[in-house]
């Protein structure tokens, strides 16, 4: 079976993005950065493309310039075991120019969209009691960052 690797188009800041992402996610590394030579294109030594691994998932990046930009049409979901993990990823990915959205979504400073989701959310919205599942879903829609204790209070009717 072939492997699937996300490929991200950056506006000439791939190196900064790769350094940032590998500092946020554990077990991560920059595999390679391919730089322009004297033959071009562009300024010799500038990064053209590269690859990096974020906690076991390989990404390819290219410095394509401003022709395209990221949108919420594609996002990456970070499944978090608990509120501490949600807080960790939310705080780091919104730092230095990131933007909060709603329902656990955010954009980092490079414009990449992320969904920071606690595993508990999946359990609550799949509750066999439709009233409890609806309460969890409604509470999530009213949040920016997902707060597990607020979800549980909503499900409990408090």
């Amino acid at each position: 079976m072939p492997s699937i690797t996300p490929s991200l188009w950056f506006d000439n800041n791939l190196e900064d993005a790769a350094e940032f992402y590998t500092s946020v996610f554990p077990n991560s590394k920059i595999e390679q950065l391919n730089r322009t030579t004297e033959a071009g294109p562009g300024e010799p030594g500038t990064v053209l493309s590269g690859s990096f691994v974020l906690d076991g998932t390989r990404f390819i990046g290219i410095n394509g310039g401003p022709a395209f930009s990221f949108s919420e049409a594609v996002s990456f979901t970070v499944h978090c075991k608990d509120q501490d993990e949600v807080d960790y990823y939310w705080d780091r990915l919104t730092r230095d120019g990131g933007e909060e959205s709603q329902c656990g979504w955010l954009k980092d400073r490079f414009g990449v969209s992320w969904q920071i989701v606690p595993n508990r959310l999946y359990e609550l919205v799949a509750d066999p009691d439709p009233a409890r599942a609806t309460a969890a879903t409604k509470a999530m829609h009213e949040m920016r960052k997902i707060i597990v204790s607020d979800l549980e209070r909503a499900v409990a009717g408090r």
Side-chain angles (χ1 to χ4, degrees):
M1 177 176 196
S3 64
I4 298 172
T5 304
S7 183
L8 304 176
W9 180 295
F10 290 92
D11 183 9
N12 299 313
N13 53 8
L14 165 59
E15 187 169 15
D16 291 340
E19 288 173 357
F20 173 68
Y21 297 137
T22 57
S23 75
V24 169
F25 292 91
N27 307 311
S28 298
K29 66 180 179 177
I30 297 173
E31 288 184 319
Q32 65 181 6
L33 294 174
N34 305 309
R35 297 181 183 278
T36 303
T37 65
E38 293 293 329
E43 174 105 15
T46 59
V47 174
L48 288 174
S49 64
S51 60
F52 51 95
V53 176
L54 303 181
D55 202 16
T57 300
R58 186 170 189 257
F59 290 78
I60 295 170
I62 60 171
N63 269 334
F68 302 103
S69 58
F70 298 111
S71 80
E72 291 86 349
V74 174
S75 63
F76 298 102
T77 302
V78 180
H79 299 274
C80 299
K81 68 180 177 189
D82 56 26
Q83 189 65 51
D84 287 341
E85 278 193 359
V86 168
D87 294 345
Y88 171 86
Y89 289 109
W90 190 270
D91 294 347
R92 279 155 186 80
L93 290 169
T94 57
R95 185 178 295 158
D96 299 326
E99 298 174 16
E100 295 184 357
S101 186
Q102 62 185 35
C103 303
W105 288 57
L106 63 86
K107 280 187 181 181
D108 66 32
R109 67 183 190 224
F110 301 100
V112 175
S113 293
W114 299 86
Q115 297 178 55
I116 310 303
V117 185
N119 293 334
R120 185 70 175 129
L121 174 65
Y122 296 113
E123 296 166 2
L124 292 171
V125 299
D127 193 296
D129 177 343
R132 291 171 52 88
T134 299
T137 302
K138 183 179 179 204
M140 180 218 30
H141 284 135
E142 295 172 358
M143 296 180 187
R144 289 186 177 269
K145 176 172 69 171
I146 304 297
I147 307 296
V148 173
S149 60
D150 291 349
L151 289 171
E152 289 174 339
R153 269 193 294 283
V155 169
R158 295 182 269 146

